[in-house]
Amino acid sequence: MQYADNSGRQRRAIIIGGSMAGLFAATLLRKAGWRTDVYERTEVELFGRGAGIVTHDDLIQTLEHSGADLNDLGVRISERIAIDQEGHVIERLHYDQIVTSWDRLHQIMRATVPADSHHLGYNLVAIEQNLTSVTAVFENGVRETADLLVGADGFRSTVRGIVAPEVQPIYAGYVVWRGLAEEADIPPEAHAAVFDKFAFFLPPNNKNIGYPIAGPNNDLRPGHRRFNWVWYRPVDASQLDDMLTDSDGQRYDLSIPPPKVRADVIEALKADAHRMLPPPMREILMCVEKPFFTPIYDHVSPSLVYGRVALIGDAAAVCRPHIGMGIAKAGSDAESLAQELAEGGDIDASLARFNHVRQPIAVRSVQRGRDLGEYMLEHIDPSEGQNDPHWSEFHSVSGILKHTASSKFLRPTESQGDDK
Ligand SMILES: Cc1cc2nc3c(=O)[nH]c(=O)nc-3n(C[C@H](O)[C@H](O)[C@H](O)COP(=O)(O)OP(=O)(O)OC[C@H]3O[C@@H](n4cnc5c(N)ncnc54)[C@H](O)[C@@H]3O)c2cc1C
């Protein structure tokens, strides 16, 4: 069904950002009767962002509602393990989950957006709005006017910078190193120890984790997959300053492009891995061609609606990756927005309902990421921690296994075995 204003014109939404949040918004609002156009500043199709992505039931539901092709979504895993420094398993948790890649999710959602409504090479630079419409102004001089503008332009959102400049990402005090190892390159003992698991090594103030994902071109055949290797490490501000500087002396703001990470910074990581990590996790790191790091930030906007502008995904709130649900949240934000706007009634009232439903969820999600992130900077002796219910819930080995990459906390009832 198409919804029209008093003049009979179909309602139109301009979506800024063609990554996951933008694609969800485009497809779900179109299904809700709106005309939608996506404007992405990158000039070529997006590819190769991030690496492994853990899925949740809510993400799979949003993908289904979007009409995405869920065949061969990713690798099914059924167990989480924690290992000690020698590589021995110290704890196990049965946990069914599908782990996939950013590229795969982008590919299946990109296929849901018609080519003539997806525009590459459009960099938003300004927004003008009145009570009933909003105009996007792009760097190339194009102006587009619509009933609604959706800011789906990520954690450094230009849209948020215009409507809520006071909301700034906050550095969490640690970074995440990441990399992909080809399954065929991984030594057999390391492969047998961790490859088909969601594996954790948890020394104080560090989280080293990993899980399998598909190989290039979504290859799920054994022997052709990859291992998504991850290490969260504390880094103070002056160290970070140095790490964000490339070999030409250029200092990057907030994060450094992966190819620009200096060789000596990677060598220092590998030296620390030899000293600190258990054999399987350090051997897998040695199979990673070029590990890269991302500083961890979070933020949450006090409102997701500013007149005829709505914020979704990372533009609205960034949760630390411990909860592994940034894309799931982007999908749920888009789904809620489309549901509210599908009624065909008053747009401003619909946007107010969207904000009422989703902003508190953004706050809770960011807080859960912070709860899990405390482990990175604080340390309580494990014997003392047992007497501290909060520490024991979020920072014991069993607590970390249970709560990492889980969206269960958003459900009204928390029942055992429903921790996805
Ligand atoms: C280490 C790590 C692990 C993670 N693991 C998971 C996980 O397991 N599961 C999960 O669900 N999530 C995970 N996430 C989070 C997830 O990657 C993000 O939440 C998600 O990608 C956000 O999508 P988005 O579309 O909101 O923003 P983005 O992906 O940042 O996209 C924003 C888009 O907007 C475009 N843009 C920006 N400015 C403009 C402009 N001015 N004009 C036009 N276009 C513009 C950009 O080019 C970009 O394409 C992880 C994140 C990290 C860092």
Side-chain angles (χ1 to χ4, degrees), residues 262-278:
R262 292 197 321 268
D264 63 293
V265 176
I266 295 174
E267 284 316 308
L269 170 83
K270 289 184 175 172
D272 287 349
H274 273 292
R275 207 167 33 83
M276 293 173 66
L277 300 188

Side-chain angles (χ1 to χ4, degrees), residues 19-21 40-41 49 54 122-124 153 158 314 324 326-327:
S19 177
M20 294 310 300
E40 163 59 46
R41 76 172 160 203
R49 297 203 170 177
V54 185
Y122 281 74
N123 183 28
L124 179 93
D153 53 344
T158 307
D314 278 10
I327 293 179

Side-chain angles (χ1 to χ4, degrees), residues 16-23 39-42 46 49-50 52-56 59 102 105 122-125 138 152-159 176 178 211 230 232 294-296 312-315 317-319 321 323-330 405:
I16 306 300
S19 177
M20 294 310 300
L23 298 178
Y39 295 93
E40 163 59 46
R41 76 172 160 203
T42 308
L46 303 177
R49 297 203 170 177
I53 295 291
V54 185
T55 71
H56 304 266
L59 174 59
W102 188 93
L105 289 174
Y122 281 74
N123 183 28
L124 179 93
V125 290
F138 297 97
D153 53 344
F155 100 107
R156 300 192 210 200
S157 171
T158 307
V159 175
V176 57
R178 287 184 278 170
Y211 52 81
V230 175
Y232 293 96
T294 312
I296 300 298
I312 64 169
D314 278 10
V318 169
C319 314
I323 60 171
M325 51 170 285
I327 293 179
K329 186 179 77 61

